[in-house]
Every structure is written in C-alpha cells, then in structure tokens.
Amino acid sequence: VASLETINLGNVDQSILIRGKDTSRPILLFIHGGPGMPMMYMGHKFQRTLEEHFIVVHWDQRGAGKSYYSDLDPNTILISQYLADSKELVKYLTDRFDKEKVTLVCHSWGTYIGSILVHENPEMFDAYVGIGQVVNGNRARLIQRKLLLIEARKRNDLKAIQELEEKGDYIL
C-alpha cells in the first residue's frame, strides 16, 4: 500500500501517509514532534526497511504540514483535542486494516501525546517507542528561555529581550 489520504479527525481534515509491502503486517503509527514539525515529507529517508515489516503511517497533526489550514480555530489546538484525534486515528487504522492494536512511535512533542495516549488506552497498543522523549517540559522551557535570552543579548535584539523578560519563565 502507498497512499496519501485526507481523513476527518475531530471535525478537521487531516493528512496521513500509509506505506507498506504487506497489509497483513502490524501497523506502526508515527506521531511527529513540534507541535507543528511534521515528518511525513522525510519518511522516505528512514522508513524503507520498516515498510517490509509494518504498515507505516505518518500523520500530519491538525495545524501541521498537510493538515495546516490558515483558518483553523486556535481554540481547537488543545492537548485534549490532539489526544482525541490520535485515538480516533488509531480506531480508524485498526478498523481499516482489521488489527487489534498499533505500534506507536513518537518523536519529541509527539512523545508527550503518545505517552498520555498509551497510559490512558494501553489496550490499543502493542508497543510504544519514544524518540527524544519529553521528560520535564517545565525545565526544558526554562533552558530554552535562558538560551534565547543569551542569543538575543548577543544580537542586541531589544524587542526579543523585552518579550522574553515580559513572559517570564513561561514562554511557550
């Protein structure tokens, strides 16, 4: 199977890329980082071998990549909505390919969504693989802010310095 499709998840059209040599193989769902950092366009660089053993599915989450719409309601950009979309996608894939479970591979921000998803719905998954696992988001934000301030000061970017200082410890 080799298919680029648009499906409706949470009342928003979202894109998935499905590739694999044999539809009797297990499903491997890749949840990208970001938010807003899709990997679908790079799949061909790293997944050819995986396609021999899995039905590999890349999903561009709402607001990212092929699922980006300039008129997307920002009030739908919520962790709870990403979780609902993910769960709906897993159900769609397991029904479509007549499978009971999915192997979940998540990167960066996707590990945040994926770990919650697996924790709340373990019956839906064979395995979970986290790449660049998010462990302490608050600490990461503090480190980001510190590095951004250092760079802004080096460049004498007064606007960036002011914005970073106004937002305090929470910048994202």
Side-chain angles (χ1 to χ4, degrees), residues 14 30-42 59-69 72 77-79 82 107-113 172:
Q14 298 181 48
F30 189 85
I31 298 184
H32 67 72
M37 190 182 129
M39 295 290 290
M40 184 186 297
Y41 73 98
M42 291 179 54
W59 165 43
D60 279 1
Q61 303 161 26
R62 67 176 53 227
K66 293 185 178 303
S67 300
Y68 172 80
Y69 303 99
L72 182 65
I77 306 295
L78 303 167
I79 291 169
Y82 283 107
H107 175 248
S108 190
W109 147 262
T111 67
Y112 183 74
I113 298 300
L172 301 172

PDB file of all heavy atoms in Angstrom, residues 14 30-42 59-69 72 77-79 82 107-113 172:
ATOM      1  N   GLN A  14      -7.411  15.938   8.074  1.00  0.00           N
ATOM      2  CA  GLN A  14      -6.006  15.762   8.403  1.00  0.00           C
ATOM      3  C   GLN A  14      -5.410  14.705   7.475  1.00  0.00           C
ATOM      4  O   GLN A  14      -6.097  13.783   7.064  1.00  0.00           O
ATOM      5  CB  GLN A  14      -5.860  15.360   9.875  1.00  0.00           C
ATOM      6  CG  GLN A  14      -6.407  16.448  10.800  1.00  0.00           C
ATOM      7  CD  GLN A  14      -6.269  16.142  12.257  1.00  0.00           C
ATOM      8  OE1 GLN A  14      -5.204  15.737  12.716  1.00  0.00           O
ATOM      9  NE2 GLN A  14      -7.330  16.348  13.014  1.00  0.00           N
ATOM     10  N   PHE A  30       3.401   6.758  13.383  1.00  0.00           N
ATOM     11  CA  PHE A  30       4.426   7.725  13.766  1.00  0.00           C
ATOM     12  C   PHE A  30       3.747   9.045  14.125  1.00  0.00           C
ATOM     13  O   PHE A  30       3.038   9.621  13.304  1.00  0.00           O
ATOM     14  CB  PHE A  30       5.408   7.926  12.610  1.00  0.00           C
ATOM     15  CG  PHE A  30       6.608   8.729  12.984  1.00  0.00           C
ATOM     16  CD1 PHE A  30       7.715   8.127  13.573  1.00  0.00           C
ATOM     17  CD2 PHE A  30       6.642  10.092  12.771  1.00  0.00           C
ATOM     18  CE1 PHE A  30       8.833   8.868  13.934  1.00  0.00           C
ATOM     19  CE2 PHE A  30       7.751  10.850  13.127  1.00  0.00           C
ATOM     20  CZ  PHE A  30       8.849  10.223  13.708  1.00  0.00           C
ATOM     21  N   ILE A  31       3.952   9.506  15.371  1.00  0.00           N
ATOM     22  CA  ILE A  31       3.422  10.805  15.801  1.00  0.00           C
ATOM     23  C   ILE A  31       4.595  11.775  15.895  1.00  0.00           C
ATOM     24  O   ILE A  31       5.515  11.588  16.691  1.00  0.00           O
ATOM     25  CB  ILE A  31       2.672  10.697  17.143  1.00  0.00           C
ATOM     26  CG1 ILE A  31       1.465   9.767  16.988  1.00  0.00           C
ATOM     27  CG2 ILE A  31       2.232  12.085  17.612  1.00  0.00           C
ATOM     28  CD1 ILE A  31       0.593   9.647  18.224  1.00  0.00           C
ATOM     29  N   HIS A  32       4.548  12.803  15.073  1.00  0.00           N
ATOM     30  CA  HIS A  32       5.674  13.735  14.936  1.00  0.00           C
ATOM     31  C   HIS A  32       5.806  14.710  16.100  1.00  0.00           C
ATOM     32  O   HIS A  32       4.929  14.845  16.940  1.00  0.00           O
ATOM     33  CB  HIS A  32       5.600  14.486  13.611  1.00  0.00           C
ATOM     34  CG  HIS A  32       4.444  15.437  13.486  1.00  0.00           C
ATOM     35  ND1 HIS A  32       4.370  16.618  14.165  1.00  0.00           N
ATOM     36  CD2 HIS A  32       3.320  15.372  12.721  1.00  0.00           C
ATOM     37  CE1 HIS A  32       3.262  17.263  13.826  1.00  0.00           C
ATOM     38  NE2 HIS A  32       2.606  16.523  12.960  1.00  0.00           N
ATOM     39  N   GLY A  33       6.922  15.402  16.099  1.00  0.00           N
ATOM     40  CA  GLY A  33       7.222  16.390  17.116  1.00  0.00           C
ATOM     41  C   GLY A  33       6.661  17.756  16.774  1.00  0.00           C
ATOM     42  O   GLY A  33       5.839  17.921  15.893  1.00  0.00           O
ATOM     43  N   GLY A  34       7.158  18.720  17.456  1.00  0.00           N
ATOM     44  CA  GLY A  34       6.696  20.092  17.241  1.00  0.00           C
ATOM     45  C   GLY A  34       6.215  20.708  18.548  1.00  0.00           C
ATOM     46  O   GLY A  34       7.005  20.837  19.454  1.00  0.00           O
ATOM     47  N   PRO A  35       4.935  21.020  18.673  1.00  0.00           N
ATOM     48  CA  PRO A  35       3.913  20.768  17.666  1.00  0.00           C
ATOM     49  C   PRO A  35       4.223  21.556  16.385  1.00  0.00           C
ATOM     50  O   PRO A  35       4.885  22.582  16.438  1.00  0.00           O
ATOM     51  CB  PRO A  35       2.619  21.250  18.308  1.00  0.00           C
ATOM     52  CG  PRO A  35       3.017  22.143  19.413  1.00  0.00           C
ATOM     53  CD  PRO A  35       4.404  21.767  19.824  1.00  0.00           C
ATOM     54  N   GLY A  36       3.782  21.028  15.317  1.00  0.00           N
ATOM     55  CA  GLY A  36       3.980  21.688  14.048  1.00  0.00           C
ATOM     56  C   GLY A  36       5.259  21.309  13.336  1.00  0.00           C
ATOM     57  O   GLY A  36       5.738  22.061  12.487  1.00  0.00           O
ATOM     58  N   MET A  37       5.842  20.155  13.640  1.00  0.00           N
ATOM     59  CA  MET A  37       7.065  19.717  12.965  1.00  0.00           C
ATOM     60  C   MET A  37       6.827  18.360  12.299  1.00  0.00           C
ATOM     61  O   MET A  37       7.265  17.332  12.781  1.00  0.00           O
ATOM     62  CB  MET A  37       8.207  19.595  13.984  1.00  0.00           C
ATOM     63  CG  MET A  37       9.548  19.375  13.358  1.00  0.00           C
ATOM     64  SD  MET A  37      10.769  19.193  14.679  1.00  0.00           S
ATOM     65  CE  MET A  37      11.529  17.689  14.155  1.00  0.00           C
ATOM     66  N   PRO A  38       6.066  18.342  11.205  1.00  0.00           N
ATOM     67  CA  PRO A  38       5.739  17.065  10.570  1.00  0.00           C
ATOM     68  C   PRO A  38       6.974  16.367  10.011  1.00  0.00           C
ATOM     69  O   PRO A  38       7.971  17.003   9.699  1.00  0.00           O
ATOM     70  CB  PRO A  38       4.785  17.458   9.451  1.00  0.00           C
ATOM     71  CG  PRO A  38       5.134  18.870   9.133  1.00  0.00           C
ATOM     72  CD  PRO A  38       5.581  19.484  10.435  1.00  0.00           C
ATOM     73  N   MET A  39       6.890  15.060   9.920  1.00  0.00           N
ATOM     74  CA  MET A  39       7.996  14.253   9.400  1.00  0.00           C
ATOM     75  C   MET A  39       7.601  13.475   8.153  1.00  0.00           C
ATOM     76  O   MET A  39       8.421  12.779   7.573  1.00  0.00           O
ATOM     77  CB  MET A  39       8.467  13.268  10.473  1.00  0.00           C
ATOM     78  CG  MET A  39       9.061  13.922  11.699  1.00  0.00           C
ATOM     79  SD  MET A  39      10.650  14.684  11.391  1.00  0.00           S
ATOM     80  CE  MET A  39      11.660  13.249  11.138  1.00  0.00           C
ATOM     81  N   MET A  40       6.358  13.576   7.746  1.00  0.00           N
ATOM     82  CA  MET A  40       5.876  12.814   6.601  1.00  0.00           C
ATOM     83  C   MET A  40       6.772  12.998   5.380  1.00  0.00           C
ATOM     84  O   MET A  40       7.100  12.040   4.690  1.00  0.00           O
ATOM     85  CB  MET A  40       4.437  13.253   6.272  1.00  0.00           C
ATOM     86  CG  MET A  40       3.775  12.485   5.166  1.00  0.00           C
ATOM     87  SD  MET A  40       2.143  13.155   4.710  1.00  0.00           S
ATOM     88  CE  MET A  40       1.191  12.935   6.189  1.00  0.00           C
ATOM     89  N   TYR A  41       7.179  14.216   5.141  1.00  0.00           N
ATOM     90  CA  TYR A  41       7.986  14.519   3.956  1.00  0.00           C
ATOM     91  C   TYR A  41       9.370  13.868   4.003  1.00  0.00           C
ATOM     92  O   TYR A  41      10.040  13.768   2.986  1.00  0.00           O
ATOM     93  CB  TYR A  41       8.110  16.034   3.762  1.00  0.00           C
ATOM     94  CG  TYR A  41       9.029  16.712   4.753  1.00  0.00           C
ATOM     95  CD1 TYR A  41      10.344  17.007   4.413  1.00  0.00           C
ATOM     96  CD2 TYR A  41       8.593  17.035   6.029  1.00  0.00           C
ATOM     97  CE1 TYR A  41      11.196  17.614   5.299  1.00  0.00           C
ATOM     98  CE2 TYR A  41       9.439  17.643   6.933  1.00  0.00           C
ATOM     99  CZ  TYR A  41      10.733  17.937   6.567  1.00  0.00           C
ATOM    100  OH  TYR A  41      11.574  18.537   7.463  1.00  0.00           O
ATOM    101  N   MET A  42       9.792  13.414   5.197  1.00  0.00           N
ATOM    102  CA  MET A  42      11.110  12.797   5.328  1.00  0.00           C
ATOM    103  C   MET A  42      11.046  11.278   5.465  1.00  0.00           C
ATOM    104  O   MET A  42      12.074  10.624   5.551  1.00  0.00           O
ATOM    105  CB  MET A  42      11.833  13.352   6.556  1.00  0.00           C
ATOM    106  CG  MET A  42      12.238  14.800   6.398  1.00  0.00           C
ATOM    107  SD  MET A  42      13.069  15.435   7.863  1.00  0.00           S
ATOM    108  CE  MET A  42      14.374  14.261   8.090  1.00  0.00           C
ATOM    109  N   TRP A  59       1.264  10.754  10.228  1.00  0.00           N
ATOM    110  CA  TRP A  59       0.100  11.623  10.408  1.00  0.00           C
ATOM    111  C   TRP A  59       0.569  13.054  10.600  1.00  0.00           C
ATOM    112  O   TRP A  59       1.364  13.329  11.492  1.00  0.00           O
ATOM    113  CB  TRP A  59      -0.693  11.132  11.621  1.00  0.00           C
ATOM    114  CG  TRP A  59      -1.712  12.061  12.183  1.00  0.00           C
ATOM    115  CD1 TRP A  59      -2.607  12.831  11.492  1.00  0.00           C
ATOM    116  CD2 TRP A  59      -1.955  12.315  13.569  1.00  0.00           C
ATOM    117  NE1 TRP A  59      -3.389  13.538  12.367  1.00  0.00           N
ATOM    118  CE2 TRP A  59      -3.011  13.240  13.646  1.00  0.00           C
ATOM    119  CE3 TRP A  59      -1.384  11.839  14.746  1.00  0.00           C
ATOM    120  CZ2 TRP A  59      -3.512  13.704  14.860  1.00  0.00           C
ATOM    121  CZ3 TRP A  59      -1.878  12.307  15.942  1.00  0.00           C
ATOM    122  CH2 TRP A  59      -2.935  13.220  15.993  1.00  0.00           C
ATOM    123  N   ASP A  60       0.092  13.949   9.760  1.00  0.00           N
ATOM    124  CA  ASP A  60       0.312  15.382   9.964  1.00  0.00           C
ATOM    125  C   ASP A  60      -0.815  15.867  10.870  1.00  0.00           C
ATOM    126  O   ASP A  60      -1.971  15.961  10.444  1.00  0.00           O
ATOM    127  CB  ASP A  60       0.301  16.148   8.635  1.00  0.00           C
ATOM    128  CG  ASP A  60       1.623  16.073   7.895  1.00  0.00           C
ATOM    129  OD1 ASP A  60       2.565  15.415   8.389  1.00  0.00           O
ATOM    130  OD2 ASP A  60       1.713  16.669   6.810  1.00  0.00           O
ATOM    131  N   GLN A  61      -0.486  16.153  12.135  1.00  0.00           N
ATOM    132  CA  GLN A  61      -1.470  16.577  13.118  1.00  0.00           C
ATOM    133  C   GLN A  61      -2.127  17.892  12.716  1.00  0.00           C
ATOM    134  O   GLN A  61      -1.545  18.668  11.959  1.00  0.00           O
ATOM    135  CB  GLN A  61      -0.796  16.766  14.477  1.00  0.00           C
ATOM    136  CG  GLN A  61      -0.082  15.555  15.003  1.00  0.00           C
ATOM    137  CD  GLN A  61       0.925  15.918  16.081  1.00  0.00           C
ATOM    138  OE1 GLN A  61       0.795  16.920  16.772  1.00  0.00           O
ATOM    139  NE2 GLN A  61       1.948  15.096  16.222  1.00  0.00           N
ATOM    140  N   ARG A  62      -3.304  18.116  13.269  1.00  0.00           N
ATOM    141  CA  ARG A  62      -4.007  19.381  12.977  1.00  0.00           C
ATOM    142  C   ARG A  62      -3.057  20.560  13.158  1.00  0.00           C
ATOM    143  O   ARG A  62      -2.288  20.626  14.112  1.00  0.00           O
ATOM    144  CB  ARG A  62      -5.259  19.548  13.839  1.00  0.00           C
ATOM    145  CG  ARG A  62      -5.020  19.724  15.296  1.00  0.00           C
ATOM    146  CD  ARG A  62      -6.275  19.978  16.121  1.00  0.00           C
ATOM    147  NE  ARG A  62      -7.304  18.993  15.906  1.00  0.00           N
ATOM    148  CZ  ARG A  62      -8.577  19.278  15.688  1.00  0.00           C
ATOM    149  NH1 ARG A  62      -9.003  20.524  15.692  1.00  0.00           N
ATOM    150  NH2 ARG A  62      -9.451  18.321  15.481  1.00  0.00           N
ATOM    151  N   GLY A  63      -3.075  21.454  12.172  1.00  0.00           N
ATOM    152  CA  GLY A  63      -2.236  22.643  12.235  1.00  0.00           C
ATOM    153  C   GLY A  63      -0.812  22.450  11.747  1.00  0.00           C
ATOM    154  O   GLY A  63      -0.014  23.382  11.819  1.00  0.00           O
ATOM    155  N   ALA A  64      -0.476  21.241  11.253  1.00  0.00           N
ATOM    156  CA  ALA A  64       0.906  20.984  10.833  1.00  0.00           C
ATOM    157  C   ALA A  64       0.937  20.352   9.444  1.00  0.00           C
ATOM    158  O   ALA A  64       0.085  19.543   9.095  1.00  0.00           O
ATOM    159  CB  ALA A  64       1.594  20.053  11.827  1.00  0.00           C
ATOM    160  N   GLY A  65       1.968  20.695   8.677  1.00  0.00           N
ATOM    161  CA  GLY A  65       2.187  20.062   7.372  1.00  0.00           C
ATOM    162  C   GLY A  65       0.954  20.126   6.480  1.00  0.00           C
ATOM    163  O   GLY A  65       0.350  21.177   6.294  1.00  0.00           O
ATOM    164  N   LYS A  66       0.575  18.976   5.948  1.00  0.00           N
ATOM    165  CA  LYS A  66      -0.575  18.903   5.047  1.00  0.00           C
ATOM    166  C   LYS A  66      -1.900  19.061   5.780  1.00  0.00           C
ATOM    167  O   LYS A  66      -2.950  19.124   5.158  1.00  0.00           O
ATOM    168  CB  LYS A  66      -0.543  17.587   4.268  1.00  0.00           C
ATOM    169  CG  LYS A  66       0.631  17.492   3.302  1.00  0.00           C
ATOM    170  CD  LYS A  66       0.557  16.228   2.471  1.00  0.00           C
ATOM    171  CE  LYS A  66       1.682  16.165   1.480  1.00  0.00           C
ATOM    172  NZ  LYS A  66       1.767  17.291   0.566  1.00  0.00           N
ATOM    173  N   SER A  67      -1.853  19.120   7.107  1.00  0.00           N
ATOM    174  CA  SER A  67      -3.056  19.341   7.915  1.00  0.00           C
ATOM    175  C   SER A  67      -3.103  20.775   8.449  1.00  0.00           C
ATOM    176  O   SER A  67      -3.818  21.079   9.394  1.00  0.00           O
ATOM    177  CB  SER A  67      -3.099  18.356   9.091  1.00  0.00           C
ATOM    178  OG  SER A  67      -3.120  17.030   8.632  1.00  0.00           O
ATOM    179  N   TYR A  68      -2.338  21.669   7.810  1.00  0.00           N
ATOM    180  CA  TYR A  68      -2.345  23.079   8.191  1.00  0.00           C
ATOM    181  C   TYR A  68      -3.419  23.808   7.397  1.00  0.00           C
ATOM    182  O   TYR A  68      -3.523  23.646   6.181  1.00  0.00           O
ATOM    183  CB  TYR A  68      -0.989  23.741   7.910  1.00  0.00           C
ATOM    184  CG  TYR A  68      -1.046  25.235   8.118  1.00  0.00           C
ATOM    185  CD1 TYR A  68      -0.964  25.766   9.398  1.00  0.00           C
ATOM    186  CD2 TYR A  68      -1.238  26.101   7.055  1.00  0.00           C
ATOM    187  CE1 TYR A  68      -1.059  27.133   9.607  1.00  0.00           C
ATOM    188  CE2 TYR A  68      -1.333  27.471   7.248  1.00  0.00           C
ATOM    189  CZ  TYR A  68      -1.251  27.974   8.529  1.00  0.00           C
ATOM    190  OH  TYR A  68      -1.358  29.332   8.729  1.00  0.00           O
ATOM    191  N   TYR A  69      -4.200  24.606   8.099  1.00  0.00           N
ATOM    192  CA  TYR A  69      -5.208  25.462   7.467  1.00  0.00           C
ATOM    193  C   TYR A  69      -5.131  26.819   8.156  1.00  0.00           C
ATOM    194  O   TYR A  69      -5.172  26.894   9.385  1.00  0.00           O
ATOM    195  CB  TYR A  69      -6.619  24.875   7.625  1.00  0.00           C
ATOM    196  CG  TYR A  69      -6.736  23.482   7.074  1.00  0.00           C
ATOM    197  CD1 TYR A  69      -6.671  22.369   7.907  1.00  0.00           C
ATOM    198  CD2 TYR A  69      -6.876  23.274   5.702  1.00  0.00           C
ATOM    199  CE1 TYR A  69      -6.753  21.092   7.399  1.00  0.00           C
ATOM    200  CE2 TYR A  69      -6.959  21.992   5.191  1.00  0.00           C
ATOM    201  CZ  TYR A  69      -6.902  20.904   6.039  1.00  0.00           C
ATOM    202  OH  TYR A  69      -6.970  19.634   5.525  1.00  0.00           O
ATOM    203  N   LEU A  72      -7.869  27.523  10.708  1.00  0.00           N
ATOM    204  CA  LEU A  72      -8.087  26.568  11.792  1.00  0.00           C
ATOM    205  C   LEU A  72      -8.357  27.336  13.092  1.00  0.00           C
ATOM    206  O   LEU A  72      -7.610  28.247  13.444  1.00  0.00           O
ATOM    207  CB  LEU A  72      -6.866  25.663  11.968  1.00  0.00           C
ATOM    208  CG  LEU A  72      -6.964  24.591  13.043  1.00  0.00           C
ATOM    209  CD1 LEU A  72      -8.034  23.565  12.690  1.00  0.00           C
ATOM    210  CD2 LEU A  72      -5.627  23.887  13.209  1.00  0.00           C
ATOM    211  N   ILE A  77      -6.655  23.896  19.239  1.00  0.00           N
ATOM    212  CA  ILE A  77      -5.257  23.496  19.417  1.00  0.00           C
ATOM    213  C   ILE A  77      -5.041  23.240  20.914  1.00  0.00           C
ATOM    214  O   ILE A  77      -4.491  24.061  21.648  1.00  0.00           O
ATOM    215  CB  ILE A  77      -4.283  24.577  18.883  1.00  0.00           C
ATOM    216  CG1 ILE A  77      -4.605  24.937  17.443  1.00  0.00           C
ATOM    217  CG2 ILE A  77      -2.845  24.128  19.043  1.00  0.00           C
ATOM    218  CD1 ILE A  77      -4.401  23.823  16.455  1.00  0.00           C
ATOM    219  N   LEU A  78      -5.531  22.098  21.340  1.00  0.00           N
ATOM    220  CA  LEU A  78      -5.504  21.708  22.749  1.00  0.00           C
ATOM    221  C   LEU A  78      -4.950  20.292  22.867  1.00  0.00           C
ATOM    222  O   LEU A  78      -5.197  19.456  21.992  1.00  0.00           O
ATOM    223  CB  LEU A  78      -6.923  21.710  23.332  1.00  0.00           C
ATOM    224  CG  LEU A  78      -7.714  23.011  23.233  1.00  0.00           C
ATOM    225  CD1 LEU A  78      -9.174  22.752  23.565  1.00  0.00           C
ATOM    226  CD2 LEU A  78      -7.119  24.031  24.192  1.00  0.00           C
ATOM    227  N   ILE A  79      -4.253  20.030  23.946  1.00  0.00           N
ATOM    228  CA  ILE A  79      -3.737  18.679  24.164  1.00  0.00           C
ATOM    229  C   ILE A  79      -4.885  17.675  24.159  1.00  0.00           C
ATOM    230  O   ILE A  79      -4.774  16.607  23.547  1.00  0.00           O
ATOM    231  CB  ILE A  79      -2.905  18.610  25.453  1.00  0.00           C
ATOM    232  CG1 ILE A  79      -1.615  19.401  25.244  1.00  0.00           C
ATOM    233  CG2 ILE A  79      -2.616  17.172  25.856  1.00  0.00           C
ATOM    234  CD1 ILE A  79      -0.803  19.643  26.485  1.00  0.00           C
ATOM    235  N   TYR A  82      -5.699  16.913  20.578  1.00  0.00           N
ATOM    236  CA  TYR A  82      -4.692  16.057  19.942  1.00  0.00           C
ATOM    237  C   TYR A  82      -4.853  14.608  20.404  1.00  0.00           C
ATOM    238  O   TYR A  82      -4.720  13.670  19.615  1.00  0.00           O
ATOM    239  CB  TYR A  82      -3.270  16.544  20.255  1.00  0.00           C
ATOM    240  CG  TYR A  82      -2.848  17.754  19.460  1.00  0.00           C
ATOM    241  CD1 TYR A  82      -2.754  19.001  20.055  1.00  0.00           C
ATOM    242  CD2 TYR A  82      -2.529  17.646  18.109  1.00  0.00           C
ATOM    243  CE1 TYR A  82      -2.359  20.106  19.335  1.00  0.00           C
ATOM    244  CE2 TYR A  82      -2.136  18.748  17.383  1.00  0.00           C
ATOM    245  CZ  TYR A  82      -2.052  19.991  17.995  1.00  0.00           C
ATOM    246  OH  TYR A  82      -1.671  21.082  17.273  1.00  0.00           O
ATOM    247  N   HIS A 107       7.985  11.125  18.386  1.00  0.00           N
ATOM    248  CA  HIS A 107       9.199  11.936  18.430  1.00  0.00           C
ATOM    249  C   HIS A 107       8.909  13.255  19.148  1.00  0.00           C
ATOM    250  O   HIS A 107       7.913  13.921  18.858  1.00  0.00           O
ATOM    251  CB  HIS A 107       9.689  12.217  17.002  1.00  0.00           C
ATOM    252  CG  HIS A 107      10.859  13.133  16.957  1.00  0.00           C
ATOM    253  ND1 HIS A 107      10.781  14.398  16.438  1.00  0.00           N
ATOM    254  CD2 HIS A 107      12.134  12.982  17.393  1.00  0.00           C
ATOM    255  CE1 HIS A 107      11.960  14.985  16.540  1.00  0.00           C
ATOM    256  NE2 HIS A 107      12.793  14.152  17.113  1.00  0.00           N
ATOM    257  N   SER A 108       9.776  13.611  20.099  1.00  0.00           N
ATOM    258  CA  SER A 108       9.759  14.906  20.774  1.00  0.00           C
ATOM    259  C   SER A 108       8.369  15.228  21.323  1.00  0.00           C
ATOM    260  O   SER A 108       7.856  14.496  22.163  1.00  0.00           O
ATOM    261  CB  SER A 108      10.288  15.974  19.815  1.00  0.00           C
ATOM    262  OG  SER A 108      10.505  17.190  20.483  1.00  0.00           O
ATOM    263  N   TRP A 109       7.740  16.307  20.862  1.00  0.00           N
ATOM    264  CA  TRP A 109       6.384  16.677  21.299  1.00  0.00           C
ATOM    265  C   TRP A 109       5.434  15.495  21.161  1.00  0.00           C
ATOM    266  O   TRP A 109       4.561  15.294  22.012  1.00  0.00           O
ATOM    267  CB  TRP A 109       5.884  17.876  20.489  1.00  0.00           C
ATOM    268  CG  TRP A 109       4.407  17.916  20.215  1.00  0.00           C
ATOM    269  CD1 TRP A 109       3.779  17.509  19.072  1.00  0.00           C
ATOM    270  CD2 TRP A 109       3.379  18.407  21.076  1.00  0.00           C
ATOM    271  NE1 TRP A 109       2.417  17.710  19.187  1.00  0.00           N
ATOM    272  CE2 TRP A 109       2.152  18.260  20.402  1.00  0.00           C
ATOM    273  CE3 TRP A 109       3.369  18.942  22.360  1.00  0.00           C
ATOM    274  CZ2 TRP A 109       0.933  18.639  20.954  1.00  0.00           C
ATOM    275  CZ3 TRP A 109       2.159  19.316  22.911  1.00  0.00           C
ATOM    276  CH2 TRP A 109       0.960  19.166  22.215  1.00  0.00           C
ATOM    277  N   GLY A 110       5.604  14.691  20.132  1.00  0.00           N
ATOM    278  CA  GLY A 110       4.748  13.518  19.938  1.00  0.00           C
ATOM    279  C   GLY A 110       4.843  12.542  21.095  1.00  0.00           C
ATOM    280  O   GLY A 110       3.892  11.814  21.395  1.00  0.00           O
ATOM    281  N   THR A 111       6.011  12.524  21.809  1.00  0.00           N
ATOM    282  CA  THR A 111       6.139  11.621  22.946  1.00  0.00           C
ATOM    283  C   THR A 111       5.251  12.067  24.100  1.00  0.00           C
ATOM    284  O   THR A 111       4.797  11.233  24.887  1.00  0.00           O
ATOM    285  CB  THR A 111       7.597  11.506  23.457  1.00  0.00           C
ATOM    286  OG1 THR A 111       8.029  12.745  24.030  1.00  0.00           O
ATOM    287  CG2 THR A 111       8.538  11.070  22.347  1.00  0.00           C
ATOM    288  N   TYR A 112       5.001  13.346  24.196  1.00  0.00           N
ATOM    289  CA  TYR A 112       4.104  13.852  25.235  1.00  0.00           C
ATOM    290  C   TYR A 112       2.697  13.323  24.980  1.00  0.00           C
ATOM    291  O   TYR A 112       2.059  12.755  25.867  1.00  0.00           O
ATOM    292  CB  TYR A 112       4.138  15.382  25.265  1.00  0.00           C
ATOM    293  CG  TYR A 112       3.290  15.969  26.363  1.00  0.00           C
ATOM    294  CD1 TYR A 112       3.708  15.899  27.689  1.00  0.00           C
ATOM    295  CD2 TYR A 112       2.079  16.571  26.079  1.00  0.00           C
ATOM    296  CE1 TYR A 112       2.933  16.422  28.711  1.00  0.00           C
ATOM    297  CE2 TYR A 112       1.292  17.099  27.087  1.00  0.00           C
ATOM    298  CZ  TYR A 112       1.724  17.025  28.402  1.00  0.00           C
ATOM    299  OH  TYR A 112       0.942  17.530  29.406  1.00  0.00           O
ATOM    300  N   ILE A 113       2.230  13.489  23.747  1.00  0.00           N
ATOM    301  CA  ILE A 113       0.905  12.989  23.357  1.00  0.00           C
ATOM    302  C   ILE A 113       0.872  11.464  23.465  1.00  0.00           C
ATOM    303  O   ILE A 113      -0.053  10.884  24.039  1.00  0.00           O
ATOM    304  CB  ILE A 113       0.560  13.445  21.918  1.00  0.00           C
ATOM    305  CG1 ILE A 113       0.495  14.977  21.838  1.00  0.00           C
ATOM    306  CG2 ILE A 113      -0.729  12.813  21.428  1.00  0.00           C
ATOM    307  CD1 ILE A 113      -0.520  15.628  22.735  1.00  0.00           C
ATOM    308  N   LEU A 172       6.390  29.425  26.163  1.00  0.00           N
ATOM    309  CA  LEU A 172       5.748  28.671  25.091  1.00  0.00           C
ATOM    310  C   LEU A 172       4.312  28.352  25.418  1.00  0.00           C
ATOM    311  O   LEU A 172       3.916  28.251  26.524  1.00  0.00           O
ATOM    312  CB  LEU A 172       6.507  27.369  24.826  1.00  0.00           C
ATOM    313  CG  LEU A 172       7.966  27.569  24.440  1.00  0.00           C
ATOM    314  CD1 LEU A 172       8.663  26.215  24.385  1.00  0.00           C
ATOM    315  CD2 LEU A 172       8.075  28.277  23.119  1.00  0.00           C
TER     316      LEU A 172
END
